[in-house]
Every structure is written in C-alpha cells, then in structure tokens.
Amino acid sequence: MSDGKIYVAATPIGDAGDATPRLRQMLETADIIAAEDTRRLLNLAGRLEIPITAKVLAFHDHNESERIDELLDAARAGMEVLVVSDAGMPTVSDPGYKLVHEAHEEDVPVTVIPGASAVLTALAISGIPTDRFSFEGFAPRKDGDRARVFSVLADEMRTMVFFDSPHRVGDTLAIMAEQFGADREAAVCRELTKTYEEVKRGSLDELAEWAAGGLKGEITIVVSGAPYREPSPDDHVDDVLVLADSGMRMKAAAAYISARTGVRKKELYEAALAKRDEDL
C-alpha cells in the first residue's frame, strides 16, 4: 500500500517565527508543494532558511479543479504532497477545500499540520466573547450586497469574524452599524503578528468613523453577537394563522408553534385570535 499522503499546512500570517516544526520539516522533505502563490512560498522558505527541493506547483482558486487529479495521483504513487496558502490555514477562505473533499471521496490519506490562523488570533486578542462564534469570510464588495448579508446576520447571537479589504473597511463598518446597531461592540484587528499590529476596539459607530479614510494592511473584524431577545408572539402569530387556515384547530396550531419557538402557547393563541378578529 502507498505511504503517500496530502498534508494541509498552516503558514504564518505575519511573523515567520510562528512556523511550526512540522511545517519546517515538510517544507524540506515534501515531494510536491502546492502553493497558492509560489513566490510567497519561496519568500517564506528564504526567511526560514529552508532549501526547497520539492516540485513546486501553483495551486489557487483559478486552477484548483485542474490540479486535483494530479495531486491525488501523486499521493497514490507514494509521494508526500504539501498544500499551503499565502497565510493561515488552506481551505479557510483559501484554496484546498475541493482537494480535501475529493481526497476523502477517493480514500487518499489527508492530514493537517495546525498553525497560525487569523480567525483564531483575532478572536483571542479582541476581548469579545469566544465561547460561540461564526466565521463569515470576506465581507461582500458591493454596498447593497453587504447590507443584505448583514441584515440576515443582525440577530446572530454568536460572535462573528469577517475578513475585509483595508480600502473598504470604513464603509463595511458603517453598514454594519446600520444593520447591527451603532452601539454593537466590535474590534478591528490590523496586521496581526506583524510589526505594526494594531487592535482597535469600540462600538461599530466609533470604529466606522475611525476607519472612514481606509486603513493599511490585512484586516480582520470581530463583532459581538446580538443580545438575546425574548421571542414575541407577534413574530410568530402569522405561522399560527397559516396552520389554522389549513384546517388545524387554533389551540393545536398555537401549541405546535409554541413548541418550536419558545413563545408561550397562551400568548400565541390569544394573539392569533386577536389578529383574526382584526382581519374579519
């Protein structure tokens, strides 16, 4: 049986000293290195003073699908295939997901070399609750798209982490303030682990004003989740009426929706009766 394997490895997000011993070893010994940007790979290897003897292939969003079979075949043939992105963990807003998915489908061994992550680093340094969080990737480019996405996320109670362009971050924060509320706590993390690392905390309104002229460097935004809101009968009374109109008894419909929303059955029932009377 082949000893080949695909290694998905995190690379430093700034400080080259964050390269793990396992990453250093694989950079030296891998047979093939699939890199999002081959120039950045060679730059990192130079800073780490590691000679690259592997075959180096470009592996990015535009050619990932075409490279998959080649990399899987190499692993099947007994080669060690190292996959790296420009910074952080491949597959997380970076190439690699399709390859890992297909590797599992084809029973090709895959493992991960953990390491630096902008998402986790920003969470840890933000001072915003980390017990439950969601990673939302890059904020959309267009204002209208950002407004729609943030509107959907307005009631998300977990801490949210976003990547954003330094040139758009002021507009992004302003739209977040509109959709999430001007007083929502957030942190803008800039150039994490690098010489000019900066973390600015405040309300979304304050941060939008601070970043209005744009910023420099890699940007990660951490936004606190929405405060808990007691479910209201008004939010779900239409669901009760729809069930009642379909033939279910009103009390049974209220009980059904109550069990799924947490709204008290008596309050739902009375609100549904009142609204039905209004509509008559």
Side-chain angles (χ1 to χ4, degrees):
M1 180 178 292
S2 168
D3 292 326
K5 186 179 290 186
I6 293 172
Y7 296 79
V8 178
T11 53
I13 60 175
D15 191 325
D18 293 333
T20 66
R22 288 182 67 200
L23 172 63
R24 290 170 177 268
Q25 178 184 347
M26 285 304 302
L27 288 171
E28 287 193 55
T29 63
D31 298 297
I32 295 176
I33 302 177
E36 183 179 8
D37 186 322
T38 58
R39 292 169 299 180
R40 291 198 180 192
L41 167 68
L42 296 175
N43 179 273
L44 174 62
R47 286 185 288 155
L48 297 175
E49 298 183 348
I50 293 175
I52 298 293
T53 60
K55 179 181 180 181
V56 176
L57 300 175
F59 183 68
H60 45 69
D61 288 333
H62 302 295
N63 73 351
E64 181 175 3
S65 297
E66 289 72 31
R67 288 285 194 204
I68 287 176
D69 287 342
E70 180 180 359
L71 298 177
L72 293 179
D73 287 344
R76 289 192 191 98
M79 296 184 183
E80 292 186 329
V81 178
L82 177 64
V83 179
V84 296
S85 60
D86 289 348
M89 181 64 72
T91 78
V92 181
S93 281
D94 278 327
Y97 157 74
K98 294 178 183 177
L99 173 63
V100 173
H101 176 81
E102 289 302 314
H104 286 302
E105 291 289 312
E106 300 293 331
D107 291 324
V108 174
V110 182
T111 191
V112 168
I113 299 176
S117 163
V119 176
L120 297 181
T121 303
L123 275 168
I125 203 171
S126 70
I128 292 173
T130 60
D131 52 336
R132 298 177 66 240
F133 68 89
S134 66
F135 173 55
E136 302 297 335
F138 277 93
R141 292 174 177 268
K142 297 181 179 178
D143 288 353
D145 293 337
R146 277 180 286 190
R148 282 188 288 273
V149 168
F150 298 157
S151 175
V152 171
L153 294 172
D155 292 326
E156 172 59 66
M157 290 191 290
R158 296 173 294 178
T159 294
M160 294 170 284
V161 183
F162 300 84
F163 291 159
D164 200 21
S165 160
H167 308 296
R168 294 192 299 268
V169 63
D171 292 337
T172 295
L173 290 164
I175 297 171
M176 284 180 171
E178 293 173 0
Q179 300 298 328
F180 296 160
D183 294 333
R184 184 82 70 91
E185 183 184 26
V188 177
C189 306
R190 188 180 72 84
E191 293 289 87
L192 289 169
T193 78
K194 299 177 184 177
T195 302
Y196 298 104
E197 176 180 280
E198 180 180 19
V199 179
K200 183 74 171 179
R201 287 170 44 87
S203 69
L204 285 171
D205 205 31
E206 292 168 340
L207 292 173
E209 182 177 356
W210 168 72
L215 301 174
K216 293 182 179 180
E218 301 288 333
I219 303 295
T220 306
I221 303 172
V222 183
V223 183
S224 62
Y228 175 75
R229 184 171 67 89
E230 189 72 32
S232 166
D234 293 338
D235 296 334
H236 302 285
V237 67
D238 288 339
D239 297 331
V240 175
L241 292 173
V242 167
L243 291 176
D245 290 342
S246 68
M248 186 180 288
R249 291 177 60 244
M250 187 74 81
K251 283 188 177 181
Y256 181 85
I257 297 301
S258 171
R260 281 154 180 77
T261 63
V263 180
R264 292 184 179 180
K265 178 176 65 175
K266 183 174 183 294
E267 294 178 356
L268 268 175
Y269 177 68
E270 292 175 350
L273 288 177
K275 184 163 187 182
R276 187 180 63 178
D277 292 342
E278 289 177 6
D279 295 340
L280 292 177

